[in-house]
Amino acid sequence: MSRTYKDVFEFYFKKKYLKVRIKTNDEIEAKKELDYILQNDCDCVDLLELLGLYIIAYGQKTESSGYLKLMNTCKVLKEKDIYFCSDMDDDSVFVLLIKYIMKNKMNKKFGALRRYTVDDVKKWILKDDIDYDQAWHLLVAYILYQELNGKYCFSSVGEVKDLGQKKFTYYNQCKCEELLLWMAIAAGIERRKIVSTLIMVVSKRKKSEEALAEIRKEIPWEQIEEKIPSIK
């Protein structure tokens, strides 16, 4: 069994409403509350709220790199005119390409953009705020980025020419703990497994690479993959 980028995109596109819930932006407060919930087995707390606490306590919060840098670029360029120049960074090119494609009604040519309306792009893709949205992280910052790069070659990162042909392997390459956890939550992996994985990662508080390995060990890609239908 193997799933393509198209399989993964279509499955998680339907889950994009499952947003991480940020209860506090205070790192110390988030650590205390997360530790309390995990130690006391509070089943009433929503998994997306738990993930929000984990992100603020231990996750990536800097806007100078990774998906948050791209999210910030979307916010900055949201109302800007479409103007490409030779010294533009990759993320800026990506954002302006989205705007160009939508303006010229070319989105139906792209597997990861054809499902979005102009309003979707304005309200969801081109963010107003940094909200740690992991659906956006997967669908926009990774899959759409790879597909547009496959067409326009604006970045040295990976590229995908055809979402329906390329096998999805990113789960085992991803460097972001919160994205792996969100993918598991959105796929319907049982609560007990999610919570026990969080307890293990938080209690040991390993380095990022070790935490990623721990998550993949407890929730391997094969468990998530079997939840994703194959699109014929």
Side-chain angles (χ1 to χ4, degrees), residues 46-60:
D46 184 87
L47 287 175
L48 292 169
E49 184 177 315
L50 271 182
L51 182 55
L53 289 170
Y54 180 82
I55 289 172
I56 299 303
Y58 301 110
Q60 179 185 338

mmCIF file with all atom_site columns, all heavy atoms in Angstrom, residues 46-60:
data_model
loop_
_atom_site.group_PDB
_atom_site.id
_atom_site.type_symbol
_atom_site.label_atom_id
_atom_site.label_alt_id
_atom_site.label_comp_id
_atom_site.label_asym_id
_atom_site.label_entity_id
_atom_site.label_seq_id
_atom_site.pdbx_PDB_ins_code
_atom_site.Cartn_x
_atom_site.Cartn_y
_atom_site.Cartn_z
_atom_site.occupancy
_atom_site.B_iso_or_equiv
_atom_site.pdbx_formal_charge
_atom_site.auth_seq_id
_atom_site.auth_comp_id
_atom_site.auth_asym_id
_atom_site.auth_atom_id
_atom_site.pdbx_PDB_model_num
ATOM 1   N N   . ASP A 1 46 ? -9.560  18.725 24.394 1.00 0.00 ? 46 ASP A N   1
ATOM 2   C CA  . ASP A 1 46 ? -9.500  18.410 22.970 1.00 0.00 ? 46 ASP A CA  1
ATOM 3   C C   . ASP A 1 46 ? -8.050  18.231 22.522 1.00 0.00 ? 46 ASP A C   1
ATOM 4   O O   . ASP A 1 46 ? -7.151  18.944 22.968 1.00 0.00 ? 46 ASP A O   1
ATOM 5   C CB  . ASP A 1 46 ? -10.155 19.559 22.181 1.00 0.00 ? 46 ASP A CB  1
ATOM 6   C CG  . ASP A 1 46 ? -10.234 19.282 20.711 1.00 0.00 ? 46 ASP A CG  1
ATOM 7   O OD1 . ASP A 1 46 ? -11.206 18.656 20.269 1.00 0.00 ? 46 ASP A OD1 1
ATOM 8   O OD2 . ASP A 1 46 ? -9.299  19.698 19.994 1.00 0.00 ? 46 ASP A OD2 1
ATOM 9   N N   . LEU A 1 47 ? -7.830  17.276 21.600 1.00 0.00 ? 47 LEU A N   1
ATOM 10  C CA  . LEU A 1 47 ? -6.479  17.000 21.114 1.00 0.00 ? 47 LEU A CA  1
ATOM 11  C C   . LEU A 1 47 ? -5.870  18.199 20.390 1.00 0.00 ? 47 LEU A C   1
ATOM 12  O O   . LEU A 1 47 ? -4.652  18.422 20.462 1.00 0.00 ? 47 LEU A O   1
ATOM 13  C CB  . LEU A 1 47 ? -6.485  15.786 20.186 1.00 0.00 ? 47 LEU A CB  1
ATOM 14  C CG  . LEU A 1 47 ? -6.684  14.424 20.855 1.00 0.00 ? 47 LEU A CG  1
ATOM 15  C CD1 . LEU A 1 47 ? -6.789  13.328 19.804 1.00 0.00 ? 47 LEU A CD1 1
ATOM 16  C CD2 . LEU A 1 47 ? -5.537  14.119 21.823 1.00 0.00 ? 47 LEU A CD2 1
ATOM 17  N N   . LEU A 1 48 ? -6.677  18.986 19.693 1.00 0.00 ? 48 LEU A N   1
ATOM 18  C CA  . LEU A 1 48 ? -6.150  20.150 18.987 1.00 0.00 ? 48 LEU A CA  1
ATOM 19  C C   . LEU A 1 48 ? -5.735  21.251 19.962 1.00 0.00 ? 48 LEU A C   1
ATOM 20  O O   . LEU A 1 48 ? -4.835  22.039 19.668 1.00 0.00 ? 48 LEU A O   1
ATOM 21  C CB  . LEU A 1 48 ? -7.187  20.676 17.991 1.00 0.00 ? 48 LEU A CB  1
ATOM 22  C CG  . LEU A 1 48 ? -7.464  19.736 16.817 1.00 0.00 ? 48 LEU A CG  1
ATOM 23  C CD1 . LEU A 1 48 ? -8.681  20.203 16.027 1.00 0.00 ? 48 LEU A CD1 1
ATOM 24  C CD2 . LEU A 1 48 ? -6.254  19.620 15.894 1.00 0.00 ? 48 LEU A CD2 1
ATOM 25  N N   . GLU A 1 49 ? -6.366  21.279 21.130 1.00 0.00 ? 49 GLU A N   1
ATOM 26  C CA  . GLU A 1 49 ? -5.935  22.204 22.181 1.00 0.00 ? 49 GLU A CA  1
ATOM 27  C C   . GLU A 1 49 ? -4.625  21.723 22.797 1.00 0.00 ? 49 GLU A C   1
ATOM 28  O O   . GLU A 1 49 ? -3.727  22.518 23.083 1.00 0.00 ? 49 GLU A O   1
ATOM 29  C CB  . GLU A 1 49 ? -7.014  22.322 23.255 1.00 0.00 ? 49 GLU A CB  1
ATOM 30  C CG  . GLU A 1 49 ? -6.676  23.335 24.337 1.00 0.00 ? 49 GLU A CG  1
ATOM 31  C CD  . GLU A 1 49 ? -7.779  23.492 25.361 1.00 0.00 ? 49 GLU A CD  1
ATOM 32  O OE1 . GLU A 1 49 ? -8.953  23.583 24.944 1.00 0.00 ? 49 GLU A OE1 1
ATOM 33  O OE2 . GLU A 1 49 ? -7.470  23.513 26.573 1.00 0.00 ? 49 GLU A OE2 1
ATOM 34  N N   . LEU A 1 50 ? -4.526  20.405 22.992 1.00 0.00 ? 50 LEU A N   1
ATOM 35  C CA  . LEU A 1 50 ? -3.269  19.830 23.492 1.00 0.00 ? 50 LEU A CA  1
ATOM 36  C C   . LEU A 1 50 ? -2.117  20.137 22.546 1.00 0.00 ? 50 LEU A C   1
ATOM 37  O O   . LEU A 1 50 ? -1.023  20.496 22.977 1.00 0.00 ? 50 LEU A O   1
ATOM 38  C CB  . LEU A 1 50 ? -3.409  18.309 23.624 1.00 0.00 ? 50 LEU A CB  1
ATOM 39  C CG  . LEU A 1 50 ? -3.926  17.722 24.935 1.00 0.00 ? 50 LEU A CG  1
ATOM 40  C CD1 . LEU A 1 50 ? -3.925  16.205 24.847 1.00 0.00 ? 50 LEU A CD1 1
ATOM 41  C CD2 . LEU A 1 50 ? -3.104  18.200 26.109 1.00 0.00 ? 50 LEU A CD2 1
ATOM 42  N N   . LEU A 1 51 ? -2.383  19.996 21.248 1.00 0.00 ? 51 LEU A N   1
ATOM 43  C CA  . LEU A 1 51 ? -1.347  20.281 20.250 1.00 0.00 ? 51 LEU A CA  1
ATOM 44  C C   . LEU A 1 51 ? -0.960  21.751 20.287 1.00 0.00 ? 51 LEU A C   1
ATOM 45  O O   . LEU A 1 51 ? 0.220   22.095 20.151 1.00 0.00 ? 51 LEU A O   1
ATOM 46  C CB  . LEU A 1 51 ? -1.832  19.887 18.855 1.00 0.00 ? 51 LEU A CB  1
ATOM 47  C CG  . LEU A 1 51 ? -0.841  20.091 17.706 1.00 0.00 ? 51 LEU A CG  1
ATOM 48  C CD1 . LEU A 1 51 ? 0.478   19.382 17.975 1.00 0.00 ? 51 LEU A CD1 1
ATOM 49  C CD2 . LEU A 1 51 ? -1.445  19.605 16.397 1.00 0.00 ? 51 LEU A CD2 1
ATOM 50  N N   . GLY A 1 52 ? -1.941  22.625 20.483 1.00 0.00 ? 52 GLY A N   1
ATOM 51  C CA  . GLY A 1 52 ? -1.645  24.058 20.605 1.00 0.00 ? 52 GLY A CA  1
ATOM 52  C C   . GLY A 1 52 ? -0.737  24.351 21.777 1.00 0.00 ? 52 GLY A C   1
ATOM 53  O O   . GLY A 1 52 ? 0.208   25.145 21.673 1.00 0.00 ? 52 GLY A O   1
ATOM 54  N N   . LEU A 1 53 ? -1.002  23.708 22.903 1.00 0.00 ? 53 LEU A N   1
ATOM 55  C CA  . LEU A 1 53 ? -0.141  23.882 24.077 1.00 0.00 ? 53 LEU A CA  1
ATOM 56  C C   . LEU A 1 53 ? 1.267   23.356 23.802 1.00 0.00 ? 53 LEU A C   1
ATOM 57  O O   . LEU A 1 53 ? 2.263   23.971 24.203 1.00 0.00 ? 53 LEU A O   1
ATOM 58  C CB  . LEU A 1 53 ? -0.746  23.144 25.278 1.00 0.00 ? 53 LEU A CB  1
ATOM 59  C CG  . LEU A 1 53 ? -2.019  23.759 25.873 1.00 0.00 ? 53 LEU A CG  1
ATOM 60  C CD1 . LEU A 1 53 ? -2.638  22.810 26.887 1.00 0.00 ? 53 LEU A CD1 1
ATOM 61  C CD2 . LEU A 1 53 ? -1.718  25.114 26.516 1.00 0.00 ? 53 LEU A CD2 1
ATOM 62  N N   . TYR A 1 54 ? 1.348   22.227 23.103 1.00 0.00 ? 54 TYR A N   1
ATOM 63  C CA  . TYR A 1 54 ? 2.656   21.654 22.778 1.00 0.00 ? 54 TYR A CA  1
ATOM 64  C C   . TYR A 1 54 ? 3.458   22.609 21.873 1.00 0.00 ? 54 TYR A C   1
ATOM 65  O O   . TYR A 1 54 ? 4.664   22.806 22.070 1.00 0.00 ? 54 TYR A O   1
ATOM 66  C CB  . TYR A 1 54 ? 2.486   20.301 22.083 1.00 0.00 ? 54 TYR A CB  1
ATOM 67  C CG  . TYR A 1 54 ? 3.802   19.659 21.721 1.00 0.00 ? 54 TYR A CG  1
ATOM 68  C CD1 . TYR A 1 54 ? 4.524   18.943 22.667 1.00 0.00 ? 54 TYR A CD1 1
ATOM 69  C CD2 . TYR A 1 54 ? 4.340   19.792 20.449 1.00 0.00 ? 54 TYR A CD2 1
ATOM 70  C CE1 . TYR A 1 54 ? 5.747   18.375 22.366 1.00 0.00 ? 54 TYR A CE1 1
ATOM 71  C CE2 . TYR A 1 54 ? 5.564   19.230 20.137 1.00 0.00 ? 54 TYR A CE2 1
ATOM 72  C CZ  . TYR A 1 54 ? 6.263   18.523 21.094 1.00 0.00 ? 54 TYR A CZ  1
ATOM 73  O OH  . TYR A 1 54 ? 7.475   17.978 20.785 1.00 0.00 ? 54 TYR A OH  1
ATOM 74  N N   . ILE A 1 55 ? 2.782   23.198 20.894 1.00 0.00 ? 55 ILE A N   1
ATOM 75  C CA  . ILE A 1 55 ? 3.469   24.122 19.977 1.00 0.00 ? 55 ILE A CA  1
ATOM 76  C C   . ILE A 1 55 ? 4.039   25.316 20.735 1.00 0.00 ? 55 ILE A C   1
ATOM 77  O O   . ILE A 1 55 ? 5.207   25.690 20.551 1.00 0.00 ? 55 ILE A O   1
ATOM 78  C CB  . ILE A 1 55 ? 2.508   24.598 18.877 1.00 0.00 ? 55 ILE A CB  1
ATOM 79  C CG1 . ILE A 1 55 ? 2.200   23.449 17.907 1.00 0.00 ? 55 ILE A CG1 1
ATOM 80  C CG2 . ILE A 1 55 ? 3.102   25.787 18.100 1.00 0.00 ? 55 ILE A CG2 1
ATOM 81  C CD1 . ILE A 1 55 ? 1.109   23.773 16.894 1.00 0.00 ? 55 ILE A CD1 1
ATOM 82  N N   . ILE A 1 56 ? 3.227   25.925 21.598 1.00 0.00 ? 56 ILE A N   1
ATOM 83  C CA  . ILE A 1 56 ? 3.699   27.095 22.341 1.00 0.00 ? 56 ILE A CA  1
ATOM 84  C C   . ILE A 1 56 ? 4.775   26.696 23.345 1.00 0.00 ? 56 ILE A C   1
ATOM 85  O O   . ILE A 1 56 ? 5.742   27.432 23.574 1.00 0.00 ? 56 ILE A O   1
ATOM 86  C CB  . ILE A 1 56 ? 2.524   27.791 23.055 1.00 0.00 ? 56 ILE A CB  1
ATOM 87  C CG1 . ILE A 1 56 ? 1.485   28.274 22.019 1.00 0.00 ? 56 ILE A CG1 1
ATOM 88  C CG2 . ILE A 1 56 ? 3.020   28.962 23.886 1.00 0.00 ? 56 ILE A CG2 1
ATOM 89  C CD1 . ILE A 1 56 ? 2.044   29.216 20.959 1.00 0.00 ? 56 ILE A CD1 1
ATOM 90  N N   . ALA A 1 57 ? 4.636   25.513 23.930 1.00 0.00 ? 57 ALA A N   1
ATOM 91  C CA  . ALA A 1 57 ? 5.611   25.067 24.937 1.00 0.00 ? 57 ALA A CA  1
ATOM 92  C C   . ALA A 1 57 ? 6.933   24.640 24.319 1.00 0.00 ? 57 ALA A C   1
ATOM 93  O O   . ALA A 1 57 ? 8.012   24.987 24.826 1.00 0.00 ? 57 ALA A O   1
ATOM 94  C CB  . ALA A 1 57 ? 5.017   23.919 25.756 1.00 0.00 ? 57 ALA A CB  1
ATOM 95  N N   . TYR A 1 58 ? 6.870   23.887 23.211 1.00 0.00 ? 58 TYR A N   1
ATOM 96  C CA  . TYR A 1 58 ? 8.083   23.254 22.694 1.00 0.00 ? 58 TYR A CA  1
ATOM 97  C C   . TYR A 1 58 ? 8.305   23.409 21.188 1.00 0.00 ? 58 TYR A C   1
ATOM 98  O O   . TYR A 1 58 ? 9.380   23.080 20.695 1.00 0.00 ? 58 TYR A O   1
ATOM 99  C CB  . TYR A 1 58 ? 8.050   21.753 23.007 1.00 0.00 ? 58 TYR A CB  1
ATOM 100 C CG  . TYR A 1 58 ? 7.952   21.432 24.472 1.00 0.00 ? 58 TYR A CG  1
ATOM 101 C CD1 . TYR A 1 58 ? 6.782   20.883 24.997 1.00 0.00 ? 58 TYR A CD1 1
ATOM 102 C CD2 . TYR A 1 58 ? 9.014   21.672 25.337 1.00 0.00 ? 58 TYR A CD2 1
ATOM 103 C CE1 . TYR A 1 58 ? 6.676   20.571 26.352 1.00 0.00 ? 58 TYR A CE1 1
ATOM 104 C CE2 . TYR A 1 58 ? 8.919   21.368 26.688 1.00 0.00 ? 58 TYR A CE2 1
ATOM 105 C CZ  . TYR A 1 58 ? 7.742   20.822 27.190 1.00 0.00 ? 58 TYR A CZ  1
ATOM 106 O OH  . TYR A 1 58 ? 7.647   20.519 28.527 1.00 0.00 ? 58 TYR A OH  1
ATOM 107 N N   . GLY A 1 59 ? 7.308   23.833 20.455 1.00 0.00 ? 59 GLY A N   1
ATOM 108 C CA  . GLY A 1 59 ? 7.384   23.820 18.995 1.00 0.00 ? 59 GLY A CA  1
ATOM 109 C C   . GLY A 1 59 ? 8.078   25.024 18.382 1.00 0.00 ? 59 GLY A C   1
ATOM 110 O O   . GLY A 1 59 ? 8.622   25.893 19.077 1.00 0.00 ? 59 GLY A O   1
ATOM 111 N N   . GLN A 1 60 ? 8.027   25.048 17.063 1.00 0.00 ? 60 GLN A N   1
ATOM 112 C CA  . GLN A 1 60 ? 8.644   26.148 16.321 1.00 0.00 ? 60 GLN A CA  1
ATOM 113 C C   . GLN A 1 60 ? 7.780   27.400 16.424 1.00 0.00 ? 60 GLN A C   1
ATOM 114 O O   . GLN A 1 60 ? 6.595   27.378 16.117 1.00 0.00 ? 60 GLN A O   1
ATOM 115 C CB  . GLN A 1 60 ? 8.787   25.757 14.842 1.00 0.00 ? 60 GLN A CB  1
ATOM 116 C CG  . GLN A 1 60 ? 9.398   26.864 13.984 1.00 0.00 ? 60 GLN A CG  1
ATOM 117 C CD  . GLN A 1 60 ? 9.412   26.500 12.506 1.00 0.00 ? 60 GLN A CD  1
ATOM 118 O OE1 . GLN A 1 60 ? 9.362   25.340 12.155 1.00 0.00 ? 60 GLN A OE1 1
ATOM 119 N NE2 . GLN A 1 60 ? 9.499   27.500 11.659 1.00 0.00 ? 60 GLN A NE2 1
#
